[in-house]
Amino acid sequence: MGLSERKAALREAVLNAAEAIVASHGLGALKARDVAQKAGCSLGAIYTVFTDLDMLILAINARTLHRLEQELAAHPEPDTATLNVVTGNLVALSGVYLDFAAANRLLWRALFEHRLAEGRALPQDQNERRNTLFNFIERPLTKLGIEPDPDARALLARSLFSALHGMILLGLEEKLVKMPIETLKNQIGIVVIAMLRGLAAR
Amino acid sequence: MGLSERKAALREAVLNAAEAIVASHGLGALKARDVAQKAGCSLGAIYTVFTDLDMLILAINARTLHRLEQELAAHPEPDTATLNVVTGNLVALSGVYLDFAAANRLLWRALFEHRLAEGRALPQDQNERRNTLFNFIERPLTKLGIEPDPDARALLARSLFSALHGMILLGLEEKLVKMPIETLKNQIGIVVIAMLRGLAAR
DNA sequence: TTTCGAACATGAACAATGTTCACTATGGAC
DNA sequence: GTCCATAGTGAACATTGTTCATGTTCGAAA
């Protein structure tokens, strides 16, 4: 095994260990010493492959985001562009997003919980990834001819995504009485349908 | 000054100091020692009036929530119940919520960032407070006669609130390019109007 | 094969921070 | 003034992220 390969293997082990911890106990439970133990390496070794825990978390999030993208991308696009069909597609996409969030609750939450220390910027690609999410919503809007101006349409797509995101965020929240996933999915359907109908009728 | 009065004064001083820190530097900057210094008391004194920092944060959040409630309650209700009027009222309420979030960004964020250690429950009244927020949305829905079933209506109000919340959350986020408040307010208007129109047309 | 240097890994040590507790100070009742 | 319950103190402890002097390992050159 070459030197850089060993480093890559260590990086992978640390990342896997950290991901498992976040997935099962949340971001708040991510401790350097636990990661080291789980990864079977020393405490200091972590810092030879990640500059600090923040960067480790960013790597976890990048993975999560990538998986989410893949699931969304796997969803087939309809070939007709009637209001009903496109609406159904958007509802289905929302369902994929919700299912992902529910099945990867703590990892998904880490995506948004994590705040960088003041002044530190998100790496470029992480920002682009976010836009990818918006695009999944923008495409149906384009198909429907809602909001012909591209800038306005991008803004609207972002708004719709944000609204969806909020519903899922608070819906999965355990602080309140937890809502069954199916109930939440229903609510999302109702709201998405209403929004598209309302937008189309403008 | 009686003994319990002194205790109350200390509690107030600690709370004020902590609130000021969160308001200016965020939840993450809340350190026991800084609070003590700012409140002009010793480190240990904090723990004589709050069992731990979590409870202190809860007290800060209760205050913030109370202020938010007051601002929302101060908004006049319309006396007619046409779709346009009620929609306008809901848009205005959303604006109040947005303005509050923007003007108290870090305190508002603390409301949702804060997670209790696993197994610890939110105090009763904090939960009720949340429902109060939903009620502000439920009332216009009731007026419009949208969703006559009270349970379904409550659920829908919660969903609309969550959607609104998501738009504001991501809209004020600084991770992405920050959106000007006015742009965001516009988007919220567009979405609220579309949702109500779509819901009313069901 | 042996030797050597650079890369790699280690974990004790440090700093920051929440929390506790043995001790001190204080205020009011008598 | 004396006394004691209550309040307040801050040194000490536990937990955690991070660093760094030191030890270890690997691959190639001799």
Side-chain angles (χ1 to χ4, degrees), chain A residues 21-48:
Chain A
I21 290 172
V22 173
S24 56
H25 301 296
L27 248 198
L30 191 71
K31 316 283 171 184
R33 284 166 182 76
D34 294 349
V35 171
Q37 175 160 19
K38 202 157 192 146
C41 68
S42 72
L43 184 56
I46 295 171
Y47 295 88
T48 69

mmCIF file of all heavy atoms in Angstrom, chain A residues 21-48:
data_model
loop_
_atom_site.group_PDB
_atom_site.id
_atom_site.type_symbol
_atom_site.label_atom_id
_atom_site.label_comp_id
_atom_site.label_asym_id
_atom_site.label_seq_id
_atom_site.Cartn_x
_atom_site.Cartn_y
_atom_site.Cartn_z
ATOM 1 N N ILE A 21 -21.388 7.931 13.890
ATOM 2 C CA ILE A 21 -21.728 8.579 15.167
ATOM 3 C C ILE A 21 -22.821 9.617 14.960
ATOM 4 O O ILE A 21 -23.809 9.658 15.691
ATOM 5 C CB ILE A 21 -20.477 9.217 15.799
ATOM 6 C CG1 ILE A 21 -19.528 8.123 16.282
ATOM 7 C CG2 ILE A 21 -20.866 10.143 16.943
ATOM 8 C CD1 ILE A 21 -18.188 8.633 16.746
ATOM 9 N N VAL A 22 -22.652 10.464 13.955
ATOM 10 C CA VAL A 22 -23.656 11.490 13.697
ATOM 11 C C VAL A 22 -24.993 10.840 13.340
ATOM 12 O O VAL A 22 -26.050 11.258 13.814
ATOM 13 C CB VAL A 22 -23.202 12.438 12.564
ATOM 14 C CG1 VAL A 22 -24.323 13.392 12.195
ATOM 15 C CG2 VAL A 22 -21.972 13.217 12.985
ATOM 16 N N ALA A 23 -24.931 9.782 12.519
ATOM 17 C CA ALA A 23 -26.168 9.138 12.092
ATOM 18 C C ALA A 23 -26.930 8.547 13.270
ATOM 19 O O ALA A 23 -28.155 8.551 13.294
ATOM 20 C CB ALA A 23 -25.859 8.052 11.061
ATOM 21 N N SER A 24 -26.194 8.062 14.255
ATOM 22 C CA SER A 24 -26.899 7.387 15.343
ATOM 23 C C SER A 24 -27.134 8.278 16.555
ATOM 24 O O SER A 24 -28.084 8.045 17.305
ATOM 25 C CB SER A 24 -26.141 6.124 15.766
ATOM 26 O OG SER A 24 -24.816 6.450 16.133
ATOM 27 N N HIS A 25 -26.298 9.285 16.749
ATOM 28 C CA HIS A 25 -26.476 10.103 17.948
ATOM 29 C C HIS A 25 -26.475 11.605 17.707
ATOM 30 O O HIS A 25 -26.541 12.376 18.672
ATOM 31 C CB HIS A 25 -25.402 9.751 18.975
ATOM 32 C CG HIS A 25 -25.423 8.318 19.398
ATOM 33 N ND1 HIS A 25 -26.481 7.761 20.071
ATOM 34 C CD2 HIS A 25 -24.539 7.316 19.221
ATOM 35 C CE1 HIS A 25 -26.237 6.474 20.291
ATOM 36 N NE2 HIS A 25 -25.065 6.177 19.784
ATOM 37 N N GLY A 26 -26.347 12.018 16.471
ATOM 38 C CA GLY A 26 -26.439 13.444 16.178
ATOM 39 C C GLY A 26 -25.112 14.176 16.228
ATOM 40 O O GLY A 26 -24.139 13.700 16.799
ATOM 41 N N LEU A 27 -25.131 15.352 15.621
ATOM 42 C CA LEU A 27 -23.917 16.164 15.536
ATOM 43 C C LEU A 27 -23.315 16.436 16.911
ATOM 44 O O LEU A 27 -22.104 16.424 17.084
ATOM 45 C CB LEU A 27 -24.243 17.511 14.893
ATOM 46 C CG LEU A 27 -23.689 17.809 13.512
ATOM 47 C CD1 LEU A 27 -23.753 19.307 13.253
ATOM 48 C CD2 LEU A 27 -22.269 17.317 13.386
ATOM 49 N N GLY A 28 -24.174 16.669 17.865
ATOM 50 C CA GLY A 28 -23.703 17.032 19.198
ATOM 51 C C GLY A 28 -22.900 15.932 19.871
ATOM 52 O O GLY A 28 -22.146 16.199 20.806
ATOM 53 N N ALA A 29 -23.054 14.715 19.375
ATOM 54 C CA ALA A 29 -22.353 13.593 19.997
ATOM 55 C C ALA A 29 -21.013 13.316 19.323
ATOM 56 O O ALA A 29 -20.343 12.347 19.660
ATOM 57 C CB ALA A 29 -23.228 12.347 19.961
ATOM 58 N N LEU A 30 -20.655 14.136 18.376
ATOM 59 C CA LEU A 30 -19.396 13.905 17.655
ATOM 60 C C LEU A 30 -18.214 14.387 18.484
ATOM 61 O O LEU A 30 -17.989 15.594 18.609
ATOM 62 C CB LEU A 30 -19.422 14.632 16.305
ATOM 63 C CG LEU A 30 -18.288 14.258 15.355
ATOM 64 C CD1 LEU A 30 -18.485 12.857 14.819
ATOM 65 C CD2 LEU A 30 -18.170 15.248 14.226
ATOM 66 N N LYS A 31 -17.473 13.461 19.074
ATOM 67 C CA LYS A 31 -16.316 13.805 19.894
ATOM 68 C C LYS A 31 -15.071 13.220 19.249
ATOM 69 O O LYS A 31 -15.082 12.063 18.805
ATOM 70 C CB LYS A 31 -16.432 13.210 21.298
ATOM 71 C CG LYS A 31 -17.787 13.345 21.928
ATOM 72 C CD LYS A 31 -18.040 14.723 22.436
ATOM 73 C CE LYS A 31 -19.487 14.822 22.838
ATOM 74 N NZ LYS A 31 -19.902 16.130 23.274
ATOM 75 N N ALA A 32 -14.034 13.997 19.240
ATOM 76 C CA ALA A 32 -12.795 13.552 18.595
ATOM 77 C C ALA A 32 -12.336 12.200 19.141
ATOM 78 O O ALA A 32 -11.981 11.293 18.375
ATOM 79 C CB ALA A 32 -11.705 14.599 18.794
ATOM 80 N N ARG A 33 -12.384 12.035 20.440
ATOM 81 C CA ARG A 33 -11.884 10.783 21.025
ATOM 82 C C ARG A 33 -12.728 9.576 20.623
ATOM 83 O O ARG A 33 -12.200 8.489 20.384
ATOM 84 C CB ARG A 33 -11.821 10.918 22.543
ATOM 85 C CG ARG A 33 -10.628 11.755 22.994
ATOM 86 C CD ARG A 33 -10.716 12.189 24.440
ATOM 87 N NE ARG A 33 -9.584 13.028 24.831
ATOM 88 C CZ ARG A 33 -9.441 14.295 24.492
ATOM 89 N NH1 ARG A 33 -10.358 14.901 23.763
ATOM 90 N NH2 ARG A 33 -8.371 14.973 24.874
ATOM 91 N N ASP A 34 -14.024 9.773 20.543
ATOM 92 C CA ASP A 34 -14.897 8.679 20.119
ATOM 93 C C ASP A 34 -14.625 8.295 18.667
ATOM 94 O O ASP A 34 -14.615 7.112 18.312
ATOM 95 C CB ASP A 34 -16.368 9.076 20.272
ATOM 96 C CG ASP A 34 -16.741 9.277 21.730
ATOM 97 O OD1 ASP A 34 -15.928 8.899 22.603
ATOM 98 O OD2 ASP A 34 -17.831 9.810 21.999
ATOM 99 N N VAL A 35 -14.435 9.311 17.840
ATOM 100 C CA VAL A 35 -14.147 9.046 16.436
ATOM 101 C C VAL A 35 -12.858 8.231 16.330
ATOM 102 O O VAL A 35 -12.793 7.223 15.622
ATOM 103 C CB VAL A 35 -14.004 10.359 15.634
ATOM 104 C CG1 VAL A 35 -13.487 10.076 14.235
ATOM 105 C CG2 VAL A 35 -15.338 11.083 15.568
ATOM 106 N N ALA A 36 -11.848 8.663 17.071
ATOM 107 C CA ALA A 36 -10.558 7.965 17.018
ATOM 108 C C ALA A 36 -10.723 6.500 17.418
ATOM 109 O O ALA A 36 -10.244 5.600 16.737
ATOM 110 C CB ALA A 36 -9.553 8.656 17.940
ATOM 111 N N GLN A 37 -11.437 6.281 18.497
ATOM 112 C CA GLN A 37 -11.636 4.909 18.955
ATOM 113 C C GLN A 37 -12.365 4.075 17.907
ATOM 114 O O GLN A 37 -11.948 2.974 17.567
ATOM 115 C CB GLN A 37 -12.426 4.925 20.261
ATOM 116 C CG GLN A 37 -12.772 3.513 20.729
ATOM 117 C CD GLN A 37 -13.108 3.484 22.201
ATOM 118 O OE1 GLN A 37 -13.425 4.506 22.802
ATOM 119 N NE2 GLN A 37 -13.025 2.307 22.791
ATOM 120 N N LYS A 38 -13.461 4.642 17.400
ATOM 121 C CA LYS A 38 -14.271 3.913 16.425
ATOM 122 C C LYS A 38 -13.490 3.658 15.131
ATOM 123 O O LYS A 38 -13.670 2.635 14.472
ATOM 124 C CB LYS A 38 -15.542 4.708 16.114
ATOM 125 C CG LYS A 38 -16.664 3.855 15.571
ATOM 126 C CD LYS A 38 -18.030 4.506 15.810
ATOM 127 C CE LYS A 38 -19.146 3.534 15.525
ATOM 128 N NZ LYS A 38 -20.304 3.702 16.397
ATOM 129 N N ALA A 39 -12.632 4.605 14.777
ATOM 130 C CA ALA A 39 -11.880 4.462 13.530
ATOM 131 C C ALA A 39 -10.627 3.618 13.755
ATOM 132 O O ALA A 39 -9.910 3.290 12.811
ATOM 133 C CB ALA A 39 -11.505 5.834 12.986
ATOM 134 N N GLY A 40 -10.366 3.316 15.001
ATOM 135 C CA GLY A 40 -9.186 2.517 15.301
ATOM 136 C C GLY A 40 -7.885 3.246 15.054
ATOM 137 O O GLY A 40 -6.890 2.663 14.635
ATOM 138 N N CYS A 41 -7.898 4.532 15.315
ATOM 139 C CA CYS A 41 -6.658 5.283 15.158
ATOM 140 C C CYS A 41 -6.455 6.148 16.392
ATOM 141 O O CYS A 41 -7.272 6.127 17.307
ATOM 142 C CB CYS A 41 -6.701 6.153 13.906
ATOM 143 S SG CYS A 41 -7.881 7.507 14.008
ATOM 144 N N SER A 42 -5.378 6.858 16.411
ATOM 145 C CA SER A 42 -5.112 7.693 17.574
ATOM 146 C C SER A 42 -5.835 9.030 17.439
ATOM 147 O O SER A 42 -6.313 9.386 16.366
ATOM 148 C CB SER A 42 -3.625 7.954 17.699
ATOM 149 O OG SER A 42 -3.225 8.837 16.679
ATOM 150 N N LEU A 43 -5.894 9.717 18.549
ATOM 151 C CA LEU A 43 -6.555 11.021 18.558
ATOM 152 C C LEU A 43 -5.934 11.952 17.530
ATOM 153 O O LEU A 43 -6.619 12.557 16.707
ATOM 154 C CB LEU A 43 -6.434 11.611 19.964
ATOM 155 C CG LEU A 43 -7.123 12.935 20.235
ATOM 156 C CD1 LEU A 43 -8.596 12.862 19.913
ATOM 157 C CD2 LEU A 43 -6.905 13.328 21.685
ATOM 158 N N GLY A 44 -4.611 12.031 17.567
ATOM 159 C CA GLY A 44 -3.917 12.963 16.679
ATOM 160 C C GLY A 44 -4.083 12.632 15.211
ATOM 161 O O GLY A 44 -4.023 13.511 14.351
ATOM 162 N N ALA A 45 -4.287 11.363 14.912
ATOM 163 C CA ALA A 45 -4.382 10.938 13.509
ATOM 164 C C ALA A 45 -5.498 11.665 12.774
ATOM 165 O O ALA A 45 -5.378 11.982 11.590
ATOM 166 C CB ALA A 45 -4.595 9.431 13.437
ATOM 167 N N ILE A 46 -6.577 11.933 13.500
ATOM 168 C CA ILE A 46 -7.693 12.646 12.890
ATOM 169 C C ILE A 46 -7.212 13.945 12.250
ATOM 170 O O ILE A 46 -7.604 14.295 11.136
ATOM 171 C CB ILE A 46 -8.770 12.967 13.942
ATOM 172 C CG1 ILE A 46 -9.390 11.676 14.469
ATOM 173 C CG2 ILE A 46 -9.845 13.871 13.358
ATOM 174 C CD1 ILE A 46 -10.309 11.897 15.662
ATOM 175 N N TYR A 47 -6.334 14.599 12.973
ATOM 176 C CA TYR A 47 -5.902 15.924 12.535
ATOM 177 C C TYR A 47 -4.853 15.860 11.435
ATOM 178 O O TYR A 47 -4.390 16.880 10.957
ATOM 179 C CB TYR A 47 -5.415 16.739 13.741
ATOM 180 C CG TYR A 47 -6.548 17.007 14.698
ATOM 181 C CD1 TYR A 47 -6.857 16.101 15.714
ATOM 182 C CD2 TYR A 47 -7.363 18.117 14.544
ATOM 183 C CE1 TYR A 47 -7.925 16.327 16.564
ATOM 184 C CE2 TYR A 47 -8.429 18.343 15.392
ATOM 185 C CZ TYR A 47 -8.709 17.440 16.395
ATOM 186 O OH TYR A 47 -9.773 17.656 17.236
ATOM 187 N N THR A 48 -4.460 14.645 11.058
ATOM 188 C CA THR A 48 -3.560 14.523 9.904
ATOM 189 C C THR A 48 -4.371 14.386 8.616
ATOM 190 O O THR A 48 -3.832 14.536 7.535
ATOM 191 C CB THR A 48 -2.631 13.298 10.046
ATOM 192 O OG1 THR A 48 -3.413 12.104 9.919
ATOM 193 C CG2 THR A 48 -1.909 13.305 11.387
#
